[in-house]
Structure formats: C-alpha cells, structure tokens
Amino acid sequence: MTDVPPTEPPFHRAKWPFYWIARVTGRYFQTMETALEPIGIDVPSYRVLMTLYEDHHVSVSAIADACVIKLSTATRIVQRMTADGLVVTRPSPRDRRVTEVSLTAKGETLRHQVKAIAESVLAQAFEGVSDAEREALNSLLAGVFGRLKG
Amino acid sequence: MTDVPPTEPPFHRAKWPFYWIARVTGRYFQTMETALEPIGIDVPSYRVLMTLYEDHHVSVSAIADACVIKLSTATRIVQRMTADGLVVTRPSPRDRRVTEVSLTAKGETLRHQVKAIAESVLAQAFEGVSDAEREALNSLLAGVFGRLKG
DNA sequence: TCACATTACGTGAAAATTCACGTAAATAAG
DNA sequence: CTTATTTACGTGAATTTTCACGTAATGTGA
C-alpha cells in the first residue's frame, strides 16, 4: 500500500444534479419574465395565476406551499395582484382564519394568455424530449421533492 | 361529428416539468438553508463557495452566470462574504475591469464543511436513484437549459 | 367550560435583490 | 491615433422578500 498524495477529490458541478436543477429554474424564470413582459405580468403573479388554474378558491397558505415561498411573501403577492385587479379575496366561510383567493374576470383573461406563453416556452425547452422522458423526469423530481426535508 | 362542449382542456401542474423543477429548487434551498445554519452560511454564500470549488480565481460575472443571478446581486454577495472574511478580491492583472474572487483560509475551511453538508442532502434526496438515472437527469436538464433563451 | 397550544394571516422593520445609472478599461472602427 | 462601442463592475434608490411579532380563529385536553 502506498500513500496517496493529499490532493482533493475531483469535483465537477456539471455532475451535480442540483446544480442543473437550480440553473434551469433560474433561466426558466428569466425566460418567463421576458416572455410575460408584453402582458405586464411578473413571475410571482404568473406562478399564482397557474396555481389558480386547477381550483377556483385557493387559500394564501396553499399558494405559498405550491410556489414554495414564505406565507408572508404570498400575502404580499396576493395584495399586489388584488391592487392590479387580477384576484379578489374573502375570508373562508368554513374557517375564518383562511383567506381565499380567486380570479376576477381580468385575471381569467390573463390566465389563458399566460398559459399559452408558458406552453410555448415549455415546447421550445423540451424540443426533442419524448413524452416518456418527460414523465420519467416528473416522477423522478416528485420523488426527490418528497425526500427533501422541509 | 358532434360539437364538443366549451369546457376548458384539463390542466394539471403535476404533469408540468417546470412545476416540479421549481418546486425541487425551492425545497432544496430551504433544506440547505436549515442544514447550513449551524455553520453560519446562507444559501447565496453556499452557491458562491461551490462555484469557487473548481477554480481558484473566479470573476464576479462568472459567479453571476454560474448562479443565474444578476451581476449587481453577485457584487453584493461577494461584498458580504468579504466582510465575513470568506473571500478576497483583486483586480485581474489581465483585464483590470474584472474583479477576481478567491477564498481565504477561513473560506477554504468552510468550503469543505459546506460540501460535506451538500453531499449528505444530495444522498438523501437521491436515495434509490441509480447512477444512470442521475446522469440522464443531468444531461436532460443541461439540454433544457441550453434551449431556454436568456 | 376553561386554559393552552396551534394555525392562518397581516404588518412594520430589516435584509436581499434588482433597476438605473455612472465609471473605467478594453475592443473595434475609421 | 482617435472615436465610438462594448464589457465589467460598483452604487444609490426602488422593489421584493423575509423576519419578527401580533391578532384572531380553531383545535385540544382536563
């Protein structure tokens, strides 16, 4: 047995999945910011609009959870969107601590435009990627998300 | 041919790759923030420390590019790290517009601790994921990154 | 019922990020 | 060489996010 020299083990970011995940997220939001500029929507509002796509009344904390942001940040984004006339809020009849957020007519209209923009960005980013690969990606990431401790 | 009702096409975030990518990134940084708290490093500093792992002298703009953040943000993070004694800066001898960032002894020490923490988080998050799957993920994401317009 | 903990949210203050702009150095054009 | 033009960075001001804390409503246990 010979001594190995005390060199550091090799390290390459490019082999590090979280490097690419963070990178793609950063560039994606940057791309969306540019693509959404013509219709005057910023990225936080876009994320909330998409969250409101599936359910009509969503609580502020559900929005915070879906977007992985702090509750107080979600409160502020909803306040801005309310000022812009995109959403309205009301206390939940079931639990009056809860603030339910829903789209206005203006918000409905923008939601569709925003979705179309997001779909074109997605199509370009995943050009040449098969449906099977996409699904594998989704389930792999869902698994990783589940194993990450909050 | 019969008319279809004017219902909206179904939409599910869970089928949307960027939903999971953004989600994993958010939770990853949240997890790292908690894991790094004992050694007093925040996520932006962690990202810069890892960027300095491969090369000893890195420009502020290269840091901004690697972390997908604005140049002025990178400037400010480096200023904070300098104040904390983790890095030092100097004008590049080749191009004096460039500010080269490098680790101090203190930064060197923390870099290794930080890497160990990041590796344990990675190991947990990718438990049960094969090397082949990880590499496929990396190359898929690298491709997506390349196709996203800045 | 009564005390106590928890949850959901809002808000002032602090911190981080970004924008807009300016400077200095390097490069390109003439 | 001279004059744009571009690039890299820093900085004050504005915006956004987050923290720390408070309040009100709900849940829980004795």
Side-chain angles (χ1 to χ4, degrees):
Chain A
M1 281 217 238
T2 57
D3 284 350
V4 288
T7 52
E8 301 194 42
F11 171 75
H12 302 290
R13 294 174 292 195
K15 300 268 183 183
W16 195 273
F18 287 126
Y19 172 72
W20 286 111
I21 293 172
R23 216 132 203 281
V24 167
T25 301
R27 187 105 115 186
Y28 175 63
F29 285 149
Q30 190 178 302
T31 303
M32 286 303 295
E33 188 182 333
T34 305
L36 292 169
E37 200 187 13
I39 59 172
I41 298 288
D42 60 11
V43 168
S45 298
Y46 149 68
R47 298 187 77 187
V48 172
L49 285 176
M50 294 310 280
T51 302
L52 290 166
Y53 218 101
E54 286 180 65
D55 304 299
H56 278 221
H57 297 281
V58 179
S59 71
V60 175
S61 55
I63 289 171
D65 182 67
C67 300
V68 200
I69 53 179
K70 309 294 176 184
L71 178 59
S72 61
T73 306
T75 299
R76 249 100 205 213
I77 294 169
V78 168
Q79 287 169 344
R80 270 180 280 161
M81 292 177 75
T82 303
D84 293 343
L86 300 177
V87 299
V88 290
T89 60
R90 69 164 192 214
S92 163
R94 309 222 168 221
D95 182 341
R96 272 171 302 186
R97 293 170 303 177
V98 173
T99 301
E100 285 183 350
V101 183
S102 55
L103 291 168
T104 61
K106 182 179 175 186
E108 284 278 343
T109 304
L110 279 168
R111 180 183 70 149
H112 290 92
Q113 296 178 32
V114 150
K115 190 191 171 206
I117 290 169
E119 275 172 342
S120 83
V121 170
L122 179 72
Q124 185 182 341
F126 280 80
E127 192 185 299
V129 178
S130 71
D131 286 0
E133 282 176 299
R134 262 180 60 165
E135 282 190 33
L137 174 66
N138 284 340
S139 65
L140 176 57
L141 291 176
V144 168
F145 181 80
R147 283 184 294 270
L148 281 170
K149 291 282 177 198
Chain B
M1 282 218 238
T2 56
D3 284 348
V4 289
T7 53
E8 300 195 42
F11 171 76
H12 301 291
R13 295 173 293 195
K15 301 268 183 185
W16 196 272
F18 287 124
Y19 172 72
W20 286 111
I21 293 171
R23 217 135 203 281
V24 167
T25 301
R27 187 104 113 185
Y28 174 64
F29 286 148
Q30 190 178 299
T31 303
M32 285 303 296
E33 187 182 333
T34 305
L36 291 169
E37 201 186 13
I39 59 172
I41 298 287
D42 61 12
V43 168
S45 298
Y46 148 69
R47 298 188 77 189
V48 172
L49 285 175
M50 294 310 280
T51 301
L52 289 167
Y53 218 101
E54 287 180 64
D55 304 299
H56 278 221
H57 297 281
V58 179
S59 71
V60 176
S61 54
I63 289 171
D65 182 66
C67 300
V68 199
I69 53 180
K70 308 294 177 184
L71 179 59
S72 61
T73 306
T75 297
R76 250 97 204 216
I77 294 169
V78 168
Q79 286 169 346
R80 270 180 282 163
M81 294 176 75
T82 303
D84 292 343
L86 300 177
V87 298
V88 289
T89 61
R90 68 163 192 214
S92 164
R94 309 221 168 222
D95 182 340
R96 271 172 302 189
R97 292 170 305 177
V98 172
T99 300
E100 285 183 351
V101 183
S102 55
L103 291 168
T104 61
K106 182 178 177 188
E108 283 279 341
T109 304
L110 280 167
R111 181 183 68 148
H112 290 92
Q113 297 179 30
V114 150
K115 190 190 170 205
I117 291 170
E119 275 172 343
S120 84
V121 169
L122 180 72
Q124 185 181 342
F126 280 80
E127 192 185 299
V129 177
S130 71
D131 286 0
E133 283 177 298
R134 260 180 62 166
E135 283 191 31
L137 175 66
N138 285 338
S139 65
L140 176 57
L141 291 176
V144 169
F145 181 80
R147 283 184 293 271
L148 281 169
K149 292 282 179 196

